[in-house]
Structure formats: C-alpha cells, structure tokens
Amino acid sequence: MKIKRNSTCGNLDIKDTGKIVELSGWVENYRDHGGIIFIDLYDRWGLTQIVFDPNISGKAAHETAGSLRSQFVVSVKGEVRKRPPGSENTKLPTGLIEIYVSELEVLNESKTPPFDVYHAAVVNEELRLKYRYLDLKNPKLQKAMIFRSSLLNTIRNYFHKNDFVEIETPILTKSTPEGARDYLVPSRVNPGKFFALPQSPQLFKQMLMTAGYDRYIQIARCFRDEDLRADRQPEFTQVDLEMSFINREDIISMIEGLFKEIYQAKFNKELALPLPRITFDDAMLKYGCDAPDLRYGLEIVDLSDVFQKTEFAVFKGALSSGGVVRGINLKGLSSQLARKDLDAMTDFVKPFRGKGVAWIRMNDDGPQSPIIKFFTEEESTALYKKMNAEKGDVLIFVADKEKIVCSCLSELRKYFGKKCSLYTENDTSLLWVIDFPMFGLNDKGKPEVLHHPFTSPKPEDMEKLDGDIYSIRTNAYDIVFNGYEVGGGSIRIHNSTIQRKIFDILGIDKESAEKQFSHLLEALDYGTPPHGGLALGLDRLVMLLLGLDSIRDVIAFPKTQKAICMLTNAPSEVSQEQLKELFIETISNE
C-alpha cells in the first residue's frame, strides 16, 4: 500500500475542511455526473463521498475511477472540502463534506456482489448466510457485532470489579443428561468412546465452588442438539456465573446490578431497582407462560368457578374432565377487531392443541356472541363482573386441559398485544420469575425435573422429598426480558446425600449415578459450600437490547433453522479414512 489511511470514512466533518487526508475502504456506489465522478467510500466507521475531478485528480486517476465498481477496495488521498449549498446530506455524519481526490490506489477488485451489500436486509436470508462475509458489511449487522463486543467488555468489567475470577471450563467433556441432546465427538485414541460438547459448564462451575473460587465468571460457549427457532442456535454463548456462601437474594442483586450497569453504559438510562417479581404459579395463571411480557395488560382470568354448574356443553365438558375455563378481556379493542379477526382465532390456536376460541363482543346495545344464549343470567352477571367487562371490550375464552388453555391464551395474548400495538419499541418489561415447581411428569408418567437435577428445593419444602414431590418448589429463578427468558439459575444442591436422593426420585439408580456423575458426587463429599448461580443467554440478550427479531442477526456466522452453515456447507461428509481412524461406520438411510 502506497496510501495508508490516517482517518476513517465515518469521522470527518466540517471542522476538517482543508485537511489532506488518506482513506481506505470499499466502494459502495458509483456516479458519473458529466465527467465528475462521485464514489461513496465506506468502512466499518461510516461512509464518505469521494470526488474525482480530472483537473485535480489527473487524467490517469480519473480514468481509473471510471472503472471502479461496488466492493472494489481502494485507498485515496485528497482534500476535505465543504459540499456546495444544496448538496448536503444531513442523514450522514459526514454529509457536510466530501473528499477531492489527488491520488488513487486500487487495492483489489471485486466480482459483482450477489446482492446489494450495504442494504442486504431485504435479501433472502439463505443467500445472505451463504455470502455472510458480504452480509456482515451491512450497517445493521455491523452495529450489532460492535454492540455485542462492547457489551461483553461492560459485562467483564462489571464482574471483575465485583471480584469474580474468569475461568475457562472444558469444551471436550463427558455426556450427561441435561435436558437436550449432546453433540458427541469420537475419541481417536480411545476407540468406541466419545466426548460431548458442553450444554453448559454446570458441573464444572459447581466443582469450582468446592475448589474455593467463590466467585466464578465465564463467557462460555455451549452446544445443544435441539430443534431451532428464531431465538435458538445449536451453538450459543452464555454469561455463566457461580457464587458461594450466598442465598437467592445475593444472586438476584448481583444480576440486577449488572443490568443497571448495562443500561447506564449502553443507553444512558437509569434502571429502576429492584425488578418486579412474580411466582411461577401466578405467571401461569395470569399470563399462561413462565416468561410473561408485561409491557401490556391482557391478564388471563380463571372462570372455572363461574361455570361450575353451566349447561354450555363446551365449558361443561372441559370442567367435567378436570380442565379449566379461562379468558382474556381485550379491553377497549372492539373497534380494532373485525368479525374475521375473532373467527380466525380458532385456526390460530390449533398449533397449540386448542380446539376453538369463544368470544363476546361488548357492544353499545349489549353483549353480542353465538354463545351467550347458553348462559344463565347468573352466569352472565358473574362473568361480566369478574372480567370487568365494559362497552368496547371483547372477551375471549378457551376451555380445555389447563396446559392447553395456558398455551393458547398465552399465544393469543402475545398476538393481540402486537396486532393492536399495545406497546412501543421503547417499552421494556424486565422481571424475575421465582418459585418454580421442582418435578413434573414426563411422557411415561414418571417424575422429571423441570429445571435440572442439581437445583435445590426450597428449604421449607425439603421434607417433601419423602412425600408429595410434585408440590416441591425450587430455589430457581429466571430473569425475563420482553417475554423472553434471558437468564436462569438456582441455588444448587451442595450435599451428596440430597443429590443422590434426587437421582433416586428420577429413577437414576446408584450405579448409573456413579457412572454419569461420580465426579460431582465425589466433589460434594469434600466440603462443597452452599452455592448458586445463573447463566445469561448472551445472544438473546443482545437481540433484545437492540430490538431485533432473530439471534442470527447478532451472531457472526450462524446456522439456519436446520442447523446448516450456508457459508461452509457444514455439516458435511468426511472421508472413509477419517471414519476408519475413529472406528466409526456409517449406516445408510436407504
């Protein structure tokens, strides 16, 4: 390079008029206005307009400028000048100036890009991911990557300031049941044996507490072989922490302090603390899910008591089979919802196993609905009172098994919250969900843990381990941001006797427990202190802080929903020689 940049394409303004500067970057746009050539030159700092006037740049440089096209890499030297009146671009930080070039150096040419690199957001996502190195030039993605880097710095500084020790845990580890499928890695030097990529550093960070590192932090890479969606990837990043000699309040206070620091450092906003809290039971009852979005109302109301003696077949059938009747008052939304919107709800809930949605529109001349003729006057009066029904409201109802009702009404609540613009982009809902149940039933009717098997019961529920296990609440806590769980943790079991008891309840016999968890169980026998922790999903947190819809927009090289890397075509086949080295034989699907 003959011309080496001494400035960037984003930091020059009117005060730099008259300076001779050297810039390097990529051509974004080319325009020839009657012999005067204009180039928009950009780098990650911004974009600057470059002018080639043959009287200043010379004939050779001017002719070369005429061959420049999108994504050519160039360096230029020239004078910063004020743009002529009327040609300013106030939307650009550099929009009041332009560079009149005296020297030009073409560093590399480019093939015609498969899409408009600088405005790639409107392009098919698979094409963007295939050419991710071009897609990453898009200002929206660059903003996300730079924000993510800066956020990591803020997070690290916060925890270091609070005396946490950053420790890396193994990537190649042992396969243990933690809720999702493991990614397995065959061991060449140990034929027939496999490492697993960590779903989380859970057991290692607990053993670090035994080792006396009472405040641990790690920006941890984690891997889960599970079905994907917009906010989930097979490999992801956690802000992982663990603390000893603490209780739940210490963990919550530490995380609230982190969010306060993030809001102050990144948005210059003051976050009101403490954050609101809601129990798991209340969250399910009022919002139908354990990660409620409280930016808007639309609380769910249980109506089972109102219809205990009803003759309305749909409600009666649900209640007689042990189900529930619940509803939502779409307060004041009648004018925004046409009949087709109400009828469409039945199809909307089908993916959530719902059979249908009943409704009542509260008109000026009285309630209107196909179902009100089935209600007694007593039922109607009690219904309208309990739902605080007024003119202009729409009441919607689902009757079924409780789990299905929760799922359907939760999704309907989210749908109408967005459709009816009940919140703005600037609204924020940040809260804790606490007191989760410890056990539920799996598909075989056997006990399963609803968090992970290392979560401690609440002290007052410990005695229930020998009785009604399904009434046990855990010392677990999730932090929820705009309806997304962005972090979860718990106080852990630090006693091997209790840990073995949990394994026994789960049907993990002594031999299996020793085989899978001997390293943890032995550590618990060597003076493990009371401890607990939490993991924040970094990718999801960045997505929410930036108001984006997909974590693929905050990960440099993400996978598709089918866990495929479009850039490298991974996963891919490997040679028979490699498989033979690993003692692996593939099985045909034919």
Side-chain angles (χ1 to χ4, degrees), residues 202 247-249 251-252 277-281 290 431-439 449-461 472-480 485 487-493 531-535:
Q202 181 63 47
N247 58 29
R248 182 182 74 183
E249 297 308 309
I251 301 285
I252 287 178
R277 299 185 191 184
I278 185 172
T279 66
F280 171 87
D281 288 343
D290 61 2
L431 70 145
W432 291 99
V433 179
I434 59 173
D435 294 350
F436 287 79
M438 186 161 191
F439 295 101
V449 285
L450 300 181
H451 195 211
H452 59 58
F454 318 110
T455 297
S456 175
K458 291 178 74 71
E460 58 268 35
D461 288 350
I472 297 175
R473 295 164 301 159
T474 65
N475 245 325
Y477 33 81
D478 284 355
I479 187 165
V480 178
E485 177 206 331
S490 67
I491 302 301
R492 321 300 189 190
I493 297 168
H531 62 282
L534 180 140

Tab-separated table of all heavy atoms in Angstrom, residues 202 247-249 251-252 277-281 290 431-439 449-461 472-480 485 487-493 531-535:
chain	number	residue	atom	x	y	z
A	202	GLN	N	-22.222	-26.479	33.828
A	202	GLN	CA	-22.892	-26.643	35.106
A	202	GLN	C	-22.069	-27.386	36.155
A	202	GLN	O	-21.829	-26.879	37.249
A	202	GLN	CB	-24.232	-27.361	34.898
A	202	GLN	CG	-25.040	-27.568	36.161
A	202	GLN	CD	-25.462	-26.267	36.800
A	202	GLN	OE1	-25.951	-25.372	36.132
A	202	GLN	NE2	-25.240	-26.135	38.099
A	247	ASN	N	-27.231	-16.639	49.194
A	247	ASN	CA	-28.595	-17.116	49.016
A	247	ASN	C	-29.158	-16.525	47.732
A	247	ASN	O	-28.450	-15.823	46.988
A	247	ASN	CB	-29.470	-16.769	50.230
A	247	ASN	CG	-29.503	-15.267	50.515
A	247	ASN	OD1	-29.354	-14.440	49.603
A	247	ASN	ND2	-29.694	-14.911	51.774
A	248	ARG	N	-30.419	-16.792	47.473
A	248	ARG	CA	-31.045	-16.329	46.225
A	248	ARG	C	-30.939	-14.821	46.064
A	248	ARG	O	-30.685	-14.320	44.961
A	248	ARG	CB	-32.514	-16.761	46.203
A	248	ARG	CG	-33.257	-16.376	44.928
A	248	ARG	CD	-34.719	-16.795	44.993
A	248	ARG	NE	-35.486	-15.930	45.883
A	248	ARG	CZ	-36.778	-16.105	46.174
A	248	ARG	NH1	-37.421	-17.136	45.667
A	248	ARG	NH2	-37.398	-15.270	46.973
A	249	GLU	N	-31.122	-14.088	47.145
A	249	GLU	CA	-31.126	-12.630	47.056
A	249	GLU	C	-29.777	-12.092	46.609
A	249	GLU	O	-29.709	-11.064	45.920
A	249	GLU	CB	-31.527	-12.023	48.404
A	249	GLU	CG	-32.935	-12.389	48.849
A	249	GLU	CD	-33.983	-12.112	47.774
A	249	GLU	OE1	-33.998	-10.988	47.238
A	249	GLU	OE2	-34.772	-13.032	47.456
A	251	ILE	N	-27.674	-13.552	44.486
A	251	ILE	CA	-27.584	-13.748	43.038
A	251	ILE	C	-28.441	-12.707	42.315
A	251	ILE	O	-27.990	-12.054	41.364
A	251	ILE	CB	-28.060	-15.164	42.646
A	251	ILE	CG1	-27.233	-16.237	43.346
A	251	ILE	CG2	-28.016	-15.336	41.123
A	251	ILE	CD1	-25.869	-16.456	42.801
A	252	ILE	N	-29.666	-12.549	42.771
A	252	ILE	CA	-30.575	-11.596	42.121
A	252	ILE	C	-30.012	-10.184	42.186
A	252	ILE	O	-30.029	-9.442	41.198
A	252	ILE	CB	-31.974	-11.683	42.770
A	252	ILE	CG1	-32.668	-12.984	42.327
A	252	ILE	CG2	-32.827	-10.476	42.404
A	252	ILE	CD1	-34.035	-13.216	42.948
A	277	ARG	N	-41.144	-9.038	40.725
A	277	ARG	CA	-41.059	-10.495	40.813
A	277	ARG	C	-42.465	-11.085	40.731
A	277	ARG	O	-43.426	-10.472	41.187
A	277	ARG	CB	-40.414	-10.931	42.134
A	277	ARG	CG	-39.008	-10.438	42.322
A	277	ARG	CD	-38.399	-11.001	43.588
A	277	ARG	NE	-37.143	-10.346	43.916
A	277	ARG	CZ	-36.355	-10.691	44.923
A	277	ARG	NH1	-36.709	-11.717	45.711
A	277	ARG	NH2	-35.230	-10.047	45.165
A	278	ILE	N	-42.538	-12.267	40.158
A	278	ILE	CA	-43.801	-12.991	40.090
A	278	ILE	C	-43.492	-14.465	40.261
A	278	ILE	O	-42.471	-14.962	39.755
A	278	ILE	CB	-44.528	-12.717	38.747
A	278	ILE	CG1	-45.902	-13.380	38.719
A	278	ILE	CG2	-43.691	-13.142	37.558
A	278	ILE	CD1	-46.734	-12.989	37.503
A	279	THR	N	-44.333	-15.166	40.990
A	279	THR	CA	-44.107	-16.601	41.160
A	279	THR	C	-44.499	-17.337	39.878
A	279	THR	O	-45.293	-16.846	39.071
A	279	THR	CB	-44.922	-17.170	42.331
A	279	THR	OG1	-46.316	-17.076	42.013
A	279	THR	CG2	-44.622	-16.426	43.618
A	280	PHE	N	-43.943	-18.522	39.715
A	280	PHE	CA	-44.283	-19.367	38.565
A	280	PHE	C	-45.788	-19.605	38.491
A	280	PHE	O	-46.392	-19.504	37.417
A	280	PHE	CB	-43.533	-20.692	38.668
A	280	PHE	CG	-43.971	-21.723	37.665
A	280	PHE	CD1	-43.412	-21.761	36.398
A	280	PHE	CD2	-44.952	-22.663	37.988
A	280	PHE	CE1	-43.813	-22.718	35.464
A	280	PHE	CE2	-45.363	-23.614	37.068
A	280	PHE	CZ	-44.790	-23.638	35.805
A	281	ASP	N	-46.404	-19.921	39.636
A	281	ASP	CA	-47.843	-20.218	39.643
A	281	ASP	C	-48.658	-19.012	39.172
A	281	ASP	O	-49.598	-19.154	38.383
A	281	ASP	CB	-48.293	-20.638	41.041
A	281	ASP	CG	-47.807	-22.031	41.423
A	281	ASP	OD1	-47.404	-22.778	40.512
A	281	ASP	OD2	-47.818	-22.357	42.630
A	290	ASP	N	-44.322	-19.105	31.600
A	290	ASP	CA	-43.389	-18.762	32.673
A	290	ASP	C	-42.388	-17.684	32.255
A	290	ASP	O	-41.411	-17.421	32.970
A	290	ASP	CB	-42.651	-20.012	33.161
A	290	ASP	CG	-41.832	-20.687	32.075
A	290	ASP	OD1	-41.798	-20.170	30.934
A	290	ASP	OD2	-41.225	-21.739	32.347
A	431	LEU	N	-38.260	-8.564	34.511
A	431	LEU	CA	-38.774	-9.064	35.790
A	431	LEU	C	-38.164	-10.410	36.121
A	431	LEU	O	-37.539	-11.057	35.271
A	431	LEU	CB	-40.292	-9.194	35.739
A	431	LEU	CG	-40.858	-10.314	34.853
A	431	LEU	CD1	-42.103	-10.899	35.471
A	431	LEU	CD2	-41.158	-9.795	33.452
A	432	TRP	N	-38.366	-10.827	37.356
A	432	TRP	CA	-37.952	-12.151	37.817
A	432	TRP	C	-39.168	-13.063	37.953
A	432	TRP	O	-40.215	-12.634	38.438
A	432	TRP	CB	-37.283	-12.065	39.186
A	432	TRP	CG	-35.946	-11.400	39.182
A	432	TRP	CD1	-35.671	-10.104	39.520
A	432	TRP	CD2	-34.694	-11.999	38.829
A	432	TRP	NE1	-34.326	-9.849	39.396
A	432	TRP	CE2	-33.696	-11.001	38.970
A	432	TRP	CE3	-34.315	-13.270	38.403
A	432	TRP	CZ2	-32.355	-11.243	38.718
A	432	TRP	CZ3	-32.976	-13.507	38.141
A	432	TRP	CH2	-32.010	-12.519	38.298
A	433	VAL	N	-39.013	-14.311	37.547
A	433	VAL	CA	-39.987	-15.362	37.839
A	433	VAL	C	-39.312	-16.300	38.836
A	433	VAL	O	-38.186	-16.765	38.599
A	433	VAL	CB	-40.427	-16.116	36.579
A	433	VAL	CG1	-41.409	-17.220	36.934
A	433	VAL	CG2	-41.050	-15.155	35.574
A	434	ILE	N	-39.983	-16.570	39.951
A	434	ILE	CA	-39.377	-17.341	41.043
A	434	ILE	C	-40.294	-18.491	41.465
A	434	ILE	O	-41.423	-18.604	40.989
A	434	ILE	CB	-39.077	-16.441	42.262
A	434	ILE	CG1	-40.373	-15.795	42.775
A	434	ILE	CG2	-38.058	-15.366	41.906
A	434	ILE	CD1	-40.205	-15.024	44.073
A	435	ASP	N	-39.783	-19.325	42.361
A	435	ASP	CA	-40.553	-20.416	42.978
A	435	ASP	C	-41.125	-21.388	41.944
A	435	ASP	O	-42.327	-21.663	41.902
A	435	ASP	CB	-41.679	-19.857	43.851
A	435	ASP	CG	-41.160	-19.108	45.067
A	435	ASP	OD1	-39.940	-19.182	45.324
A	435	ASP	OD2	-41.958	-18.450	45.756
A	436	PHE	N	-40.256	-21.921	41.121
A	436	PHE	CA	-40.665	-22.921	40.124
A	436	PHE	C	-40.948	-24.260	40.802
A	436	PHE	O	-40.324	-24.608	41.803
A	436	PHE	CB	-39.551	-23.121	39.090
A	436	PHE	CG	-39.396	-21.993	38.119
A	436	PHE	CD1	-38.732	-20.825	38.490
A	436	PHE	CD2	-39.912	-22.082	36.840
A	436	PHE	CE1	-38.582	-19.780	37.594
A	436	PHE	CE2	-39.766	-21.048	35.938
A	436	PHE	CZ	-39.100	-19.888	36.316
A	437	PRO	N	-41.854	-25.053	40.234
A	437	PRO	CA	-42.013	-26.428	40.733
A	437	PRO	C	-40.759	-27.234	40.400
A	437	PRO	O	-40.097	-26.982	39.395
A	437	PRO	CB	-43.230	-26.945	39.966
A	437	PRO	CG	-43.313	-26.096	38.739
A	437	PRO	CD	-42.764	-24.750	39.120
A	438	MET	N	-40.448	-28.182	41.255
A	438	MET	CA	-39.233	-28.967	41.034
A	438	MET	C	-39.462	-30.130	40.093
A	438	MET	O	-38.629	-30.415	39.234
A	438	MET	CB	-38.694	-29.482	42.367
A	438	MET	CG	-37.350	-30.189	42.229
A	438	MET	SD	-36.484	-30.303	43.797
A	438	MET	CE	-34.858	-30.855	43.226
A	439	PHE	N	-40.608	-30.805	40.238
A	439	PHE	CA	-40.862	-32.016	39.463
A	439	PHE	C	-42.144	-31.891	38.640
A	439	PHE	O	-43.092	-31.202	39.025
A	439	PHE	CB	-41.001	-33.229	40.388
A	439	PHE	CG	-39.761	-33.595	41.133
A	439	PHE	CD1	-39.601	-33.240	42.473
A	439	PHE	CD2	-38.730	-34.293	40.512
A	439	PHE	CE1	-38.456	-33.583	43.175
A	439	PHE	CE2	-37.583	-34.638	41.203
A	439	PHE	CZ	-37.436	-34.275	42.539
A	449	VAL	N	-37.316	-33.627	36.409
A	449	VAL	CA	-37.056	-32.294	36.957
A	449	VAL	C	-37.383	-31.263	35.884
A	449	VAL	O	-37.152	-31.484	34.691
A	449	VAL	CB	-35.594	-32.141	37.417
A	449	VAL	CG1	-35.346	-32.868	38.711
A	449	VAL	CG2	-34.624	-32.595	36.337
A	450	LEU	N	-37.915	-30.132	36.312
A	450	LEU	CA	-38.316	-29.096	35.367
A	450	LEU	C	-37.228	-28.053	35.171
A	450	LEU	O	-37.357	-27.198	34.298
A	450	LEU	CB	-39.616	-28.433	35.848
A	450	LEU	CG	-40.808	-29.388	35.984
A	450	LEU	CD1	-42.058	-28.648	36.433
A	450	LEU	CD2	-41.072	-30.121	34.667
A	451	HIS	N	-36.184	-28.116	35.952
A	451	HIS	CA	-35.039	-27.221	35.745
A	451	HIS	C	-33.853	-28.095	35.380
A	451	HIS	O	-33.682	-28.476	34.244
A	451	HIS	CB	-34.793	-26.380	37.011
A	451	HIS	CG	-33.879	-25.220	36.754
A	451	HIS	ND1	-33.035	-24.722	37.703
A	451	HIS	CD2	-33.670	-24.467	35.651
A	451	HIS	CE1	-32.340	-23.698	37.203
A	451	HIS	NE2	-32.713	-23.533	35.964
A	452	HIS	N	-33.019	-28.461	36.357
A	452	HIS	CA	-32.037	-29.531	36.160
A	452	HIS	C	-31.853	-30.235	37.498
A	452	HIS	O	-32.263	-29.716	38.550
A	452	HIS	CB	-30.715	-29.009	35.569
A	452	HIS	CG	-30.022	-27.964	36.388
A	452	HIS	ND1	-29.622	-28.168	37.694
A	452	HIS	CD2	-29.661	-26.701	36.086
A	452	HIS	CE1	-29.025	-27.093	38.150
A	452	HIS	NE2	-29.051	-26.179	37.208
A	453	PRO	N	-31.276	-31.421	37.507
A	453	PRO	CA	-31.286	-32.236	38.731
A	453	PRO	C	-30.369	-31.741	39.832
A	453	PRO	O	-30.271	-32.384	40.884
A	453	PRO	CB	-30.852	-33.618	38.230
A	453	PRO	CG	-30.095	-33.361	36.979
A	453	PRO	CD	-30.731	-32.165	36.353
A	454	PHE	N	-29.687	-30.610	39.618
A	454	PHE	CA	-28.759	-30.094	40.628
A	454	PHE	C	-29.342	-28.885	41.360
A	454	PHE	O	-28.671	-28.235	42.149
A	454	PHE	CB	-27.427	-29.731	39.962
A	454	PHE	CG	-26.996	-30.758	38.946
A	454	PHE	CD1	-27.001	-30.475	37.584
A	454	PHE	CD2	-26.630	-32.036	39.350
A	454	PHE	CE1	-26.634	-31.438	36.647
A	454	PHE	CE2	-26.266	-32.996	38.422
A	454	PHE	CZ	-26.273	-32.696	37.069
A	455	THR	N	-30.619	-28.588	41.075
A	455	THR	CA	-31.309	-27.466	41.699
A	455	THR	C	-31.823	-27.878	43.078
A	455	THR	O	-32.437	-28.926	43.228
A	455	THR	CB	-32.487	-27.015	40.822
A	455	THR	OG1	-31.980	-26.546	39.577
A	455	THR	CG2	-33.272	-25.905	41.486
A	456	SER	N	-31.614	-27.009	44.040
A	456	SER	CA	-32.033	-27.318	45.408
A	456	SER	C	-33.500	-26.987	45.633
A	456	SER	O	-33.995	-25.959	45.160
A	456	SER	CB	-31.178	-26.512	46.391
A	456	SER	OG	-31.629	-26.697	47.719
A	457	PRO	N	-34.219	-27.842	46.357
A	457	PRO	CA	-35.570	-27.474	46.790
A	457	PRO	C	-35.498	-26.279	47.746
A	457	PRO	O	-34.464	-26.042	48.393
A	457	PRO	CB	-36.067	-28.730	47.527
A	457	PRO	CG	-35.146	-29.830	47.126
A	457	PRO	CD	-33.836	-29.190	46.819
A	458	LYS	N	-36.588	-25.546	47.856
A	458	LYS	CA	-36.644	-24.507	48.879
A	458	LYS	C	-36.531	-25.183	50.253
A	458	LYS	O	-37.055	-26.289	50.448
A	458	LYS	CB	-37.938	-23.716	48.769
A	458	LYS	CG	-38.012	-22.856	47.506
A	458	LYS	CD	-39.337	-22.128	47.402
A	458	LYS	CE	-39.420	-20.970	48.383
A	458	LYS	NZ	-38.540	-19.841	48.008
A	459	PRO	N	-35.836	-24.586	51.196
A	459	PRO	CA	-35.613	-25.242	52.496
A	459	PRO	C	-36.895	-25.730	53.156
A	459	PRO	O	-36.931	-26.830	53.722
A	459	PRO	CB	-34.944	-24.134	53.323
A	459	PRO	CG	-34.271	-23.260	52.312
A	459	PRO	CD	-35.157	-23.281	51.112
A	460	GLU	N	-37.966	-24.918	53.045
A	460	GLU	CA	-39.217	-25.300	53.699
A	460	GLU	C	-39.908	-26.480	53.010
A	460	GLU	O	-40.856	-27.070	53.559
A	460	GLU	CB	-40.178	-24.111	53.774
A	460	GLU	CG	-40.538	-23.488	52.436
A	460	GLU	CD	-39.643	-22.329	52.024
A	460	GLU	OE1	-38.423	-22.397	52.339
A	460	GLU	OE2	-40.145	-21.385	51.398
A	461	ASP	N	-39.457	-26.842	51.786
A	461	ASP	CA	-40.056	-27.969	51.059
A	461	ASP	C	-39.176	-29.220	51.086
A	461	ASP	O	-39.529	-30.242	50.501
A	461	ASP	CB	-40.329	-27.584	49.599
A	461	ASP	CG	-41.490	-26.605	49.462
A	461	ASP	OD1	-42.192	-26.377	50.470
A	461	ASP	OD2	-41.699	-26.074	48.355
A	472	ILE	N	-43.228	-29.696	45.614
A	472	ILE	CA	-41.948	-29.082	45.987
A	472	ILE	C	-41.641	-27.910	45.056
A	472	ILE	O	-41.727	-28.016	43.836
A	472	ILE	CB	-40.803	-30.114	45.911
A	472	ILE	CG1	-41.023	-31.242	46.915
A	472	ILE	CG2	-39.456	-29.439	46.158
A	472	ILE	CD1	-39.992	-32.353	46.825
A	473	ARG	N	-41.282	-26.800	45.649
A	473	ARG	CA	-40.815	-25.637	44.887
A	473	ARG	C	-39.292	-25.563	44.981
A	473	ARG	O	-38.703	-25.947	45.990
A	473	ARG	CB	-41.425	-24.349	45.441
A	473	ARG	CG	-42.948	-24.253	45.294
A	473	ARG	CD	-43.488	-23.167	46.195
A	473	ARG	NE	-43.153	-23.448	47.591
A	473	ARG	CZ	-43.129	-22.526	48.554
A	473	ARG	NH1	-43.406	-21.262	48.261
A	473	ARG	NH2	-42.824	-22.854	49.800
A	474	THR	N	-38.682	-25.070	43.924
A	474	THR	CA	-37.220	-24.991	43.900
A	474	THR	C	-36.745	-23.572	44.193
A	474	THR	O	-37.484	-22.597	44.085
A	474	THR	CB	-36.667	-25.383	42.518
A	474	THR	OG1	-37.095	-24.414	41.552
A	474	THR	CG2	-37.125	-26.749	42.106
A	475	ASN	N	-35.465	-23.512	44.513
A	475	ASN	CA	-34.796	-22.230	44.670
A	475	ASN	C	-34.258	-21.778	43.318
A	475	ASN	O	-33.078	-21.454	43.170
A	475	ASN	CB	-33.655	-22.361	45.682
A	475	ASN	CG	-33.912	-21.521	46.914
A	475	ASN	OD1	-34.481	-20.436	46.811
A	475	ASN	ND2	-33.494	-22.019	48.069
A	476	ALA	N	-35.124	-21.792	42.308
A	476	ALA	CA	-34.741	-21.388	40.955
A	476	ALA	C	-35.343	-20.027	40.638
A	476	ALA	O	-36.342	-19.619	41.230
A	476	ALA	CB	-35.201	-22.417	39.937
A	477	TYR	N	-34.749	-19.351	39.661
A	477	TYR	CA	-35.184	-18.000	39.297
A	477	TYR	C	-34.791	-17.727	37.849
A	477	TYR	O	-33.708	-18.097	37.392
A	477	TYR	CB	-34.534	-16.966	40.221
A	477	TYR	CG	-33.133	-17.370	40.667
A	477	TYR	CD1	-32.026	-17.171	39.845
A	477	TYR	CD2	-32.946	-18.021	41.885
A	477	TYR	CE1	-30.767	-17.580	40.238
A	477	TYR	CE2	-31.685	-18.437	42.280
A	477	TYR	CZ	-30.586	-18.210	41.458
A	477	TYR	OH	-29.342	-18.637	41.838
A	478	ASP	N	-35.699	-17.146	37.107
A	478	ASP	CA	-35.440	-16.729	35.722
A	478	ASP	C	-35.585	-15.222	35.628
A	478	ASP	O	-36.477	-14.637	36.256
A	478	ASP	CB	-36.454	-17.364	34.760
A	478	ASP	CG	-36.174	-18.834	34.490
A	478	ASP	OD1	-35.135	-19.335	34.967
A	478	ASP	OD2	-36.999	-19.472	33.825
A	479	ILE	N	-34.754	-14.604	34.819
A	479	ILE	CA	-34.940	-13.196	34.504
A	479	ILE	C	-35.531	-13.116	33.098
A	479	ILE	O	-35.037	-13.769	32.167
A	479	ILE	CB	-33.638	-12.378	34.643
A	479	ILE	CG1	-33.939	-10.884	34.469
A	479	ILE	CG2	-32.538	-12.862	33.715
A	479	ILE	CD1	-32.822	-9.974	34.933
A	480	VAL	N	-36.632	-12.377	32.962
A	480	VAL	CA	-37.429	-12.350	31.732
A	480	VAL	C	-37.428	-10.934	31.155
A	480	VAL	O	-37.714	-9.973	31.864
A	480	VAL	CB	-38.873	-12.812	32.011
A	480	VAL	CG1	-39.721	-12.736	30.749
A	480	VAL	CG2	-38.871	-14.235	32.564
A	485	GLU	N	-37.126	-15.476	28.201
A	485	GLU	CA	-36.203	-15.810	29.280
A	485	GLU	C	-34.796	-15.516	28.790
A	485	GLU	O	-34.320	-16.132	27.826
A	485	GLU	CB	-36.331	-17.291	29.651
A	485	GLU	CG	-35.345	-17.721	30.732
A	485	GLU	CD	-35.014	-19.199	30.687
A	485	GLU	OE1	-35.875	-19.990	30.250
A	485	GLU	OE2	-33.889	-19.544	31.066
A	487	GLY	N	-32.194	-15.345	31.137
A	487	GLY	CA	-31.273	-15.931	32.089
A	487	GLY	C	-32.013	-16.785	33.084
A	487	GLY	O	-33.180	-16.539	33.391
A	488	GLY	N	-31.348	-17.802	33.562
A	488	GLY	CA	-31.953	-18.675	34.556
A	488	GLY	C	-30.892	-19.268	35.451
A	488	GLY	O	-29.744	-19.462	35.032
A	489	GLY	N	-31.267	-19.528	36.691
A	489	GLY	CA	-30.313	-20.120	37.613
A	489	GLY	C	-31.014	-20.658	38.830
A	489	GLY	O	-32.243	-20.690	38.906
A	490	SER	N	-30.218	-21.069	39.795
A	490	SER	CA	-30.789	-21.644	41.006
A	490	SER	C	-29.733	-21.723	42.091
A	490	SER	O	-28.525	-21.629	41.821
A	490	SER	CB	-31.338	-23.041	40.720
A	490	SER	OG	-30.284	-23.945	40.424
A	491	ILE	N	-30.209	-21.897	43.316
A	491	ILE	CA	-29.347	-22.352	44.390
A	491	ILE	C	-29.167	-23.853	44.188
A	491	ILE	O	-30.132	-24.574	43.935
A	491	ILE	CB	-29.959	-22.048	45.769
A	491	ILE	CG1	-30.216	-20.544	45.893
A	491	ILE	CG2	-29.057	-22.554	46.881
A	491	ILE	CD1	-28.988	-19.675	45.738
A	492	ARG	N	-27.912	-24.334	44.290
A	492	ARG	CA	-27.631	-25.731	43.959
A	492	ARG	C	-27.700	-26.630	45.200
A	492	ARG	O	-27.667	-26.151	46.341
A	492	ARG	CB	-26.228	-25.862	43.353
A	492	ARG	CG	-25.814	-24.758	42.426
A	492	ARG	CD	-26.705	-24.582	41.221
A	492	ARG	NE	-26.092	-23.625	40.282
A	492	ARG	CZ	-26.689	-23.120	39.231
A	492	ARG	NH1	-27.938	-23.460	38.947
A	492	ARG	NH2	-26.074	-22.265	38.438
A	493	ILE	N	-27.759	-27.903	44.923
A	493	ILE	CA	-27.624	-28.898	45.984
A	493	ILE	C	-26.137	-29.028	46.308
A	493	ILE	O	-25.326	-29.290	45.417
A	493	ILE	CB	-28.194	-30.255	45.529
A	493	ILE	CG1	-29.701	-30.139	45.253
A	493	ILE	CG2	-27.919	-31.331	46.578
A	493	ILE	CD1	-30.281	-31.343	44.542
A	531	HIS	N	-23.948	-22.892	47.517
A	531	HIS	CA	-23.609	-22.076	46.348
A	531	HIS	C	-24.790	-22.026	45.381
A	531	HIS	O	-25.741	-22.798	45.476
A	531	HIS	CB	-22.370	-22.617	45.630
A	531	HIS	CG	-22.534	-24.014	45.086
A	531	HIS	ND1	-22.459	-25.145	45.872
A	531	HIS	CD2	-22.779	-24.475	43.828
A	531	HIS	CE1	-22.632	-26.231	45.135
A	531	HIS	NE2	-22.842	-25.851	43.882
A	532	GLY	N	-24.720	-21.104	44.449
A	532	GLY	CA	-25.750	-20.953	43.425
A	532	GLY	C	-25.233	-20.086	42.302
A	532	GLY	O	-24.162	-19.461	42.410
A	533	GLY	N	-25.978	-20.043	41.234
A	533	GLY	CA	-25.504	-19.262	40.102
A	533	GLY	C	-26.599	-18.981	39.104
A	533	GLY	O	-27.794	-19.185	39.376
A	534	LEU	N	-26.180	-18.536	37.946
A	534	LEU	CA	-27.114	-18.155	36.884
A	534	LEU	C	-26.346	-18.087	35.576
A	534	LEU	O	-25.142	-17.829	35.563
A	534	LEU	CB	-27.751	-16.806	37.218
A	534	LEU	CG	-28.756	-16.229	36.215
A	534	LEU	CD1	-29.939	-15.587	36.946
A	534	LEU	CD2	-28.091	-15.176	35.332
A	535	ALA	N	-27.054	-18.322	34.489
A	535	ALA	CA	-26.464	-18.152	33.150
A	535	ALA	C	-27.368	-17.239	32.333
A	535	ALA	O	-28.580	-17.461	32.264
A	535	ALA	CB	-26.303	-19.501	32.459
